[in-house]
Amino acid sequence: MSDILALAPRFGSNSGQSLTRRDGVAKVTGTATFAADNHPDGLLYAVYVPATIARGTVTHLDVAAAKAHPGVVEVITPENRPPLAGDPDSKPFMFAFRFEALQNNTVRYANQPIALVLAETFEAATEGARLLNPLYDAQQPRMGLDGDAPFTPESGGLGLPGTTVHGDIDAGHAASAQDIDVTYETPEQYHNAMETHAVVAQWNGDHVTLDIPSQAIVMQRGAFGYYFGIPPENVTIRSPYLGGGFGSKAIINGPQILAILAARMTGRPVKLMLSRDQMFGPSGHRGATRQRLRIGIDTDHRMTVLDHNSLATTSTFDTFVESAANASQGLYAAGALRSAHQGVRIDAGTPGPVRAPGEAPGSAALECAMDEMAYKAGIDPLEFRLKNYAETEPGTGKPYSSKALRDCYAQGAARFGWAGRPLAPRQMTDENGMLVGWGMGTALFAAPMFAAQARAVLRPDGTGLVETAASDMGQGAWTALAQIAADSLGLPMDRIEFRSGTSDLPDAGIAGGSAHTATAGGALHAAGTDAIRRLAELATGDPDSPLYGAGNAGVIARDGRLHARDDDTRSESFADIITRAGGAEVEGKGSASRTAEASAAHAMYSHGAVFAEVKVDPDLFQIRVTRLVGAFAAGRIINPKLTESQLMGGMIWGISFALHEEARFDQRTGRIMNADLAGYHIPVNADVSGLEVITVHEDDPHVNPLGIKGVGEIGITGTVGAIGNAIWHATGTRVRHFPIRIPDLLTGA
Amino acid sequence: MNLFDYLRPASVSDAIAAWQPGAAYLGGGTNLVDLMKTGALQPGKVIDIARLPGLDRIESLPDGGTRIGALVKNSVLAGDPDFAAAFPMIAEALASGASGQLRNAATLGGNLMQRTRCVYFQDPHSACNRRESGNGCGALGGDTQNHAVLGWNDACIATNPSDLCVPLAALDAVVETQGPNGRRDIAFADFHRLPGDTPERETALEPGELILAVRLSSNAAASYQNSRYLKLRERTSFAFALVSAAAALQLKDGRITEARLAIGGVAAKPWRVPAAEALMLGQPPDTDLFRRAAAVALEDATPSGNNGYKIDLARRIAARSLALAAAGTPTRMPALPASVFGESAHV
């Protein structure tokens, strides 16, 4: 490893530049091919029939009426559904969640598939689905956080958070001079990526090709192979572009499995794309949470205890409990620290990872509770956080791999103008008489790494080819990863070809956990470096090369040439080296992952500080976020423009969480009554004004060879709490649930 | 969606002749098409009137009034300088509605005919007396945060979602129609119906009757210097009002000589209370007076579910819109139309 690092080509000629996303023009002109844009010959359209009850059984489907509709080709129900090799109710691998693929006539939640209609046109399939006119034996659904008795999940996997305790909780409570005991609630939220889930499936013998948006392109080969009884290599996944994923496109869902099954059953390609309302059911969501936070402080305002307990909704048939209380791990230097989780089983679909899973609702509650504690103690909320600044990871005592959070606080506060903020609420108004409030929150997100491989090839013409099966969900992987790859080869961007987004390439790992650039980028860097090492061997071992005898470690790659490290005039182009060596391509391979030792040695997080200003009408209580400043430290920044974009997107998601997003269930039927974008609100441009992102310089020698942390999710954390705190500061009304809406403030008036 | 016949008649009379029970007129399509896609509405015949000649004009009438053709697009009407100068609160209401793309497609007549956004009406799997008489009301006892607090009964608790209709009601617009029985005028107050015993009948239109135009009198323009439409919503744009209010005043020598107030988002039609308006006549404009007028306007309000907040909120926005009207119409369209935020939103 150290040899390769020493050999590393000059890094930064492409990385660090604010390149415009390479897929941007294709996307805005409509030429980028998303999954549902594929229309192979003989295509059948599939529409799934969503259950309109949340609990019970389907007693009748009018299959004859649907089949009689012109254009309808087949109707698949539990009666005639061909067998699957893998049981949809099994959990054979880590990212497997139980799903509905017509294994029986039971309804476990509203909008689950109860039939699939295939037709020659989308319209015919849609009408066929309507004509099935299902009858049910419905039971009263269990709804909400009080819908059933809480249970404690078995810990140890995705969506299975346990209880983490550091220190003596009772002693921490006993030692407090002042304390708070507050409970916050957050609602069910749905991913709602702009591109709804889709698949175009084509079978050729026992090989299937899937055009499908995927956040885990290579990993999902094995998953699909499991359910269809074919080896992973018989599954080709093509996922060049995703219109957002937010966690939902790493998990297999029932409608997609049914469409693939239908393609095999009919011997024709089948396309299925969920309608917007169908996104509110079978493809995961964020469960509701009720979080109790107890904080104690001593007379010096140091936290003696941070005790965070979260109850979250999950389904009746599988377990994914939002790990909200874990947001209190890793951040503040409390003497005793507890994060505990419970779940409650209700008649809704199984939740899943949604952008900043656990962290988003957990941070919202934690940062508001911190604000409440600071106010009770009579000190500034930022000062309170600095007072409890963790120099090492709380509880574990591990050193941070890097932590520029103090700089984030300082730069964010300075840019925002935090100094001089009155401690008491309802002290500030603007020239129009609007109540003005300022709030802040700390942002935190872990910096994990998964495992990835990549390949890099230097061609005889001096250009490079690099490849890894990465997923570009809109975050800019096509661009940022290519920048890393180009640097690893010492080539300008226009002289490398970057292949990505299909499963026949080396595994880039899952695009999640804010770890994709670090993971896939790390593999690309290693592969490029390996190729350059091999090229250097050719040159330095060839008496005809000006670099002969320079030694592998003595050359550096730059702009398509190898240069002697100690004599810049000695150099030769990649093309000349390869041509003279016989013209064979030079191939490098690389991988990236984090060793257990590295994980044990350091605590690794991205950090940030978010400052919010809101204005609230004193009589009508309409709320407007007028300024948001976020300062983030996330290691090496590969592309400042894309990074800023990601952080901004996260902060806007924070506005959405704080003020808008909520699935509204009819408690009688268990159905979501605002299951479209007209009713499930997210912010529009007019809701986002004065948003500033600062990236704080941070060198991290430990997190990975390139020093990259993630920026995909951290923008949400901190922001929600900052807005909630600003609303309190403006109005004096502390609303302890999200979203915060006009009626909440009106009631407090 | 279901199979349907699609016609594009060449004239108003052809359109009316083509109408039959189960048919629907299609204007901008911003509402009907959505409801057809979900299956909430399944017309057997769609009569596309969007290209009918002669219905897309804004005309000044000899008596000083204004006549707006039914096919005038929302964005065209809001952006017409003469119209906006004469009826600033109508322009502001239009500009505050939907999104730019929808305003470019939506028509005046379609705006009057748009259906409630009651989610139980929009959802074909919920009971709804509006969609089908005698079907029952799925909203009652359900998620009712956006539902009516005035004029409702157990048969229907839906509200009219239109922004445009609120100032049109306040200004006593007249709806010109043509139907199988010829042409007629309908006073705006009579155009939208409360549910009563026939919640499925949302307007005064007879089967097959088509809106040709909306007329506004010269007196309606007389309050142009003191009128305002305000809309409360949690998202700054592209959201229906929780509650809204249109207020127009005529002032002489420091006293109110005419007062008009209509409230949106509270009932199946824009809500006007003559007693609330009468209370202001002859009085100097004053915050307390406006509060009292607003209180009278909401006097009969009762929650139809978990929407009691609307009563208080409607009172407050009614009083605010009156106060802003008294302070004077903004000299130009606010950057955030009908919003309580911005330089034109304060008194």
Side-chain angles (χ1 to χ4, degrees):
Chain A
M1 185 59 138
S2 58
D3 282 348
I4 290 172
L5 279 178
L7 243 187
R10 189 174 67 120
F11 198 84
S13 50
N14 294 296
S15 298
Q17 306 297 317
S18 280
L19 299 188
T20 297
R21 62 175 67 238
R22 298 160 75 226
D23 48 335
V25 170
K27 282 180 175 169
V28 300
T29 56
T31 55
T33 309
F34 290 86
D37 293 329
N38 291 285
H39 297 92
D41 288 344
L43 185 64
L44 281 176
Y45 293 82
V47 167
Y48 94 76
V49 182
T52 54
I53 64 166
R55 183 184 181 195
T57 51
V58 180
T59 57
H60 183 256
L61 291 166
D62 196 345
V63 175
K67 278 191 161 174
H69 187 73
V72 171
V73 170
E74 184 62 87
V75 176
I76 306 179
T77 72
E79 304 276 308
N80 66 339
R81 193 269 264 164
L84 283 168
D87 179 0
D89 278 319
S90 63
K91 287 177 78 72
F93 44 85
M94 182 184 175
F95 288 95
F97 286 88
R98 299 191 175 102
F99 57 86
E100 297 69 34
L102 306 179
Q103 56 265 45
N104 52 49
N105 65 355
T106 305
V107 176
R108 308 196 278 207
Y109 60 90
N111 267 1
Q112 86 163 53
I114 57 171
L116 190 80
V117 178
L118 299 164
E120 299 289 350
T121 64
F122 170 70
E123 290 76 11
T126 303
E127 182 62 4
R130 194 182 67 79
L131 290 168
L132 282 175
N133 203 17
L135 300 176
Y136 303 97
D137 181 6
Q139 290 176 265
Q140 179 64 37
R142 290 151 291 192
M143 288 281 104
L145 288 157
D146 299 310
D148 197 9
F151 70 96
T152 302
E154 241 180 89
S155 66
L158 182 66
L160 299 171
T163 295
T164 305
V165 182
H166 296 294
D168 185 334
I169 301 298
D170 291 339
H173 283 298
S176 67
Q178 283 183 292
D179 59 12
I180 57 160
D181 181 349
V182 293
T183 300
Y184 280 80
E185 290 193 6
T186 65
E188 281 94 349
Q189 300 168 338
Y190 282 74
H191 300 83
N192 274 306
M194 192 184 293
E195 177 203 28
T196 64
H197 289 273
V199 62
V200 175
Q202 304 179 66
W203 286 88
N204 183 1
D206 63 351
H207 186 282
V208 68
T209 299
L210 305 175
D211 292 297
I212 187 169
S214 173
Q215 288 180 244
I217 292 171
V218 171
M219 187 185 83
Q220 285 198 330
R221 282 193 324 170
F224 284 114
Y226 168 79
Y227 293 109
F228 290 97
I230 54 176
E233 55 270 24
N234 286 18
V235 180
T236 300
I237 291 177
R238 301 189 296 208
S239 186
Y241 305 107
L242 293 84
F246 311 129
S248 72
K249 288 170 181 167
I251 312 281
I252 282 178
N253 61 59
Q256 289 174 332
I257 290 284
L258 287 172
I260 299 165
L261 190 60
R264 192 164 68 178
M265 180 182 177
T266 58
R268 290 174 65 175
V270 168
K271 168 167 147 176
L272 172 136
M273 185 170 203
L274 299 195
S275 58
R276 181 57 59 185
D277 58 309
Q278 291 173 343
M279 292 289 282
F280 292 78
S283 54
H285 67 282
R286 199 195 302 280
T289 73
R290 178 182 294 150
Q291 302 175 53
R292 183 181 182 194
L293 278 124
R294 282 171 287 177
I295 298 175
I297 56 171
D298 65 17
T299 52
D300 194 29
H301 305 138
R302 292 180 198 281
M303 293 162 75
T304 57
V305 63
L306 171 54
D307 195 357
H308 193 161
N309 192 308
S310 176
L311 173 70
T313 55
T314 185
S315 72
T316 57
F317 56 93
D318 208 344
T319 305
F320 185 103
V321 173
E322 188 79 2
S323 53
N326 284 349
S328 286
Q329 298 287 327
L331 185 50
Y332 297 117
L337 188 56
R338 174 160 64 188
S339 301
H341 296 90
Q342 286 195 301
V344 56
R345 298 198 181 281
I346 63 168
D347 294 299
T350 306
V354 182
R355 197 176 186 186
E359 297 288 344
S363 164
L366 170 64
E367 294 305 318
C368 287
M370 289 294 286
D371 202 65
E372 294 204 56
M373 189 72 252
Y375 181 63
K376 189 165 185 182
I379 65 168
D380 177 81
L382 175 53
E383 188 192 336
F384 180 52
R385 285 165 174 87
L386 287 168
K387 197 89 185 174
N388 290 282
Y389 194 90
E391 301 294 351
T392 57
E393 188 181 43
T396 70
K398 275 197 231 176
Y400 289 102
S401 62
S402 61
K403 182 177 178 177
L405 178 55
R406 267 189 221 285
D407 295 337
C408 295
Y409 285 137
Q411 292 187 32
R415 182 78 67 88
F416 183 85
W418 180 260
R421 171 189 174 276
L423 291 186
R426 229 182 152 100
Q427 299 297 305
M428 304 192 294
T429 53
D430 74 359
E431 65 282 6
N432 292 322
M434 289 287 183
L435 305 175
V436 178
W438 292 353
M440 59 93 51
T442 308
L444 178 80
F445 202 82
M449 260 184 93
F450 305 117
Q453 289 88 46
R455 183 171 165 263
V457 172
L458 290 167
R459 294 157 163 164
D461 66 357
T463 64
L465 164 69
V466 290
E467 48 189 35
T468 188
S471 300
D472 194 329
M473 301 185 280
Q475 85 276 40
W478 275 117
T479 310
L481 292 180
Q483 285 175 269
I484 292 171
D487 280 348
S488 73
L489 290 173
L491 284 170
M493 287 285 282
D494 59 2
R495 288 172 68 189
I496 64 156
E497 179 187 347
F498 177 40
R499 287 187 191 155
S500 183
T502 64
S503 62
D504 53 354
L505 302 175
D507 186 359
I510 188 170
S514 295
H516 205 37
T517 307
T519 307
L524 285 164
H525 175 70
T529 307
D530 186 42
I532 290 297
R533 183 178 61 77
R534 292 170 194 277
L535 184 73
E537 273 174 19
L538 291 180
T540 57
D542 180 352
D544 290 337
S545 170
L547 296 168
Y548 179 64
N552 286 352
V555 298
I556 188 166
R558 191 173 75 234
D559 201 22
R561 301 179 73 85
L562 291 184
H563 293 257
R565 202 181 278 274
D566 57 358
D567 179 1
D568 209 46
T569 61
R570 285 174 67 194
S571 79
E572 190 172 29
S573 74
F574 295 178
D576 287 350
I577 298 166
I578 295 170
T579 304
R580 208 175 43 250
E585 291 182 337
V586 175
E587 183 187 25
K589 288 189 172 171
S591 63
S593 62
R594 182 178 291 156
T595 63
E597 295 76 38
S599 298
H602 290 95
M604 305 181 207
Y605 297 93
S606 294
H607 294 91
V610 181
F611 298 83
E613 176 184 271
V614 303
K615 293 187 177 180
V616 181
D617 188 291
D619 190 46
L620 299 167
F621 299 104
Q622 191 164 324
I623 304 162
R624 190 161 166 75
V625 178
T626 46
R627 286 196 298 141
L628 266 185
V629 174
F632 300 93
R636 182 196 292 275
I637 301 304
I638 299 300
N639 184 317
K641 183 191 278 186
L642 292 171
T643 296
E644 191 179 329
S645 211
Q646 278 283 79
L647 293 167
M648 235 183 228
M651 290 167 73
I652 293 168
W653 191 302
I655 297 175
S656 198
F657 193 122
L659 302 180
H660 300 293
E661 281 190 62
E662 127 183 78
R664 297 184 66 89
F665 287 80
D666 186 313
Q667 300 295 316
R668 304 164 302 178
T669 62
R671 298 179 63 214
I672 298 171
M673 297 313 295
N674 63 337
D676 60 34
L677 293 181
Y680 185 92
H681 281 186
I682 57 173
V684 295
N685 281 330
D687 292 305
V688 184
S689 57
L691 198 162
E692 283 185 83
V693 169
I694 303 165
T695 46
V696 173
H697 182 87
E698 191 175 67
D699 286 319
D700 192 320
H702 306 295
V703 69
N704 50 52
L706 293 178
I708 299 171
K709 296 176 177 176
V711 293
E713 296 165 271
I714 189 171
I716 306 173
T717 71
T719 304
V720 185
I723 293 170
N725 294 335
I727 290 170
W728 167 79
H729 193 238
T731 63
T733 303
R734 177 63 75 174
V735 180
R736 293 196 182 89
H737 61 249
F738 293 98
I740 298 174
R741 303 186 56 207
I742 291 172
D744 301 320
L745 298 177
L746 192 62
T747 310
Chain B
M1 60 180 72
N2 62 312
L3 294 175
F4 57 89
D5 293 327
Y6 173 83
L7 278 78
R8 196 187 291 169
S11 68
V12 169
S13 49
D14 285 356
I16 294 167
W19 194 88
Q20 64 190 68
Y25 292 125
L26 176 71
T30 59
N31 188 204
L32 176 64
V33 174
D34 283 352
L35 293 168
M36 288 173 69
K37 281 159 99 175
T38 64
L41 296 182
Q42 296 167 37
K45 184 192 264 189
V46 173
I47 304 168
D48 187 346
I49 56 167
R51 292 170 183 78
L52 289 181
L55 299 182
D56 60 349
R57 289 198 290 270
I58 306 166
E59 302 164 88
S60 295
L61 300 174
D63 65 359
T66 301
R67 183 177 186 273
I68 315 150
L71 293 178
V72 174
K73 307 287 191 193
N74 285 2
S75 54
V76 170
L77 188 57
D80 184 282
D82 294 335
F83 180 82
F87 305 104
M89 71 176 178
I90 298 179
E92 192 167 5
L94 285 167
S96 75
S99 67
Q101 293 91 332
L102 289 168
R103 291 193 292 272
N104 286 340
T107 63
L108 175 79
N111 197 313
L112 267 58
M113 294 303 294
Q114 69 177 304
R115 312 302 293 266
T116 179
R117 263 57 179 190
C118 169
V119 291
Y120 297 87
F121 167 80
Q122 293 177 313
D123 167 37
H125 307 290
S126 294
C128 179
N129 288 320
R130 279 195 181 220
R131 277 203 320 275
E132 197 182 333
S133 177
N135 191 309
C137 174
L140 207 61
D143 185 18
T144 49
Q145 56 163 351
N146 292 332
H147 287 77
V149 292
L150 283 160
W152 60 273
N153 61 24
D154 283 355
C156 183
I157 62 172
T159 59
N160 183 302
S162 172
D163 291 301
L164 169 68
C165 290
V166 183
L168 287 182
L171 295 176
D172 289 311
V174 172
V175 184
E176 278 181 39
T177 69
Q178 183 173 333
N181 301 320
R183 294 174 78 133
R184 64 169 174 149
D185 286 347
I186 303 171
F188 208 86
D190 300 329
F191 187 78
H192 293 104
R193 296 164 52 102
L194 295 176
D197 297 331
T198 53
E200 72 281 5
R201 287 201 61 193
E202 297 176 5
T203 70
L205 292 185
E206 296 296 332
E209 195 171 7
L210 196 57
I211 299 172
L212 300 182
V214 168
R215 280 204 318 273
L216 289 155
S217 70
S218 57
N219 185 54
S223 55
Y224 75 99
Q225 288 176 307
N226 293 98
S227 63
R228 202 66 206 276
Y229 178 70
L230 276 188
K231 174 177 183 180
L232 265 189
R233 47 183 167 176
E234 281 141 343
R235 185 158 75 177
T236 308
S237 172
F238 207 2
F240 290 96
L242 299 178
V243 291
S244 69
L249 301 173
Q250 289 187 47
L251 298 162
K252 197 176 175 195
D253 303 329
R255 291 187 181 269
I256 296 168
T257 58
E258 185 185 84
R260 300 166 176 274
L261 174 67
I263 300 171
V266 291
K269 62 190 292 182
W271 200 256
R272 272 187 86 179
V273 175
E277 295 174 359
L279 181 120
M280 293 181 272
L281 293 180
Q283 305 293 315
D286 167 80
T287 309
D288 183 57
L289 174 71
F290 296 146
R291 282 209 191 102
R292 282 188 285 129
V296 170
L298 272 298
E299 218 164 46
D300 295 334
T302 23
S304 59
N306 55 344
N307 50 22
Y309 77 93
K310 272 193 176 185
I311 300 170
D312 189 11
L313 207 55
R315 263 190 224 114
R316 289 164 184 253
I317 198 161
R320 175 74 67 86
S321 68
L322 286 163
L324 289 179
T329 305
T331 49
R332 64 168 104 172
M333 177 76 77
L336 298 173
S339 172
V340 298
F341 288 94
E343 69 278 16
S344 311
H346 303 276
V347 289

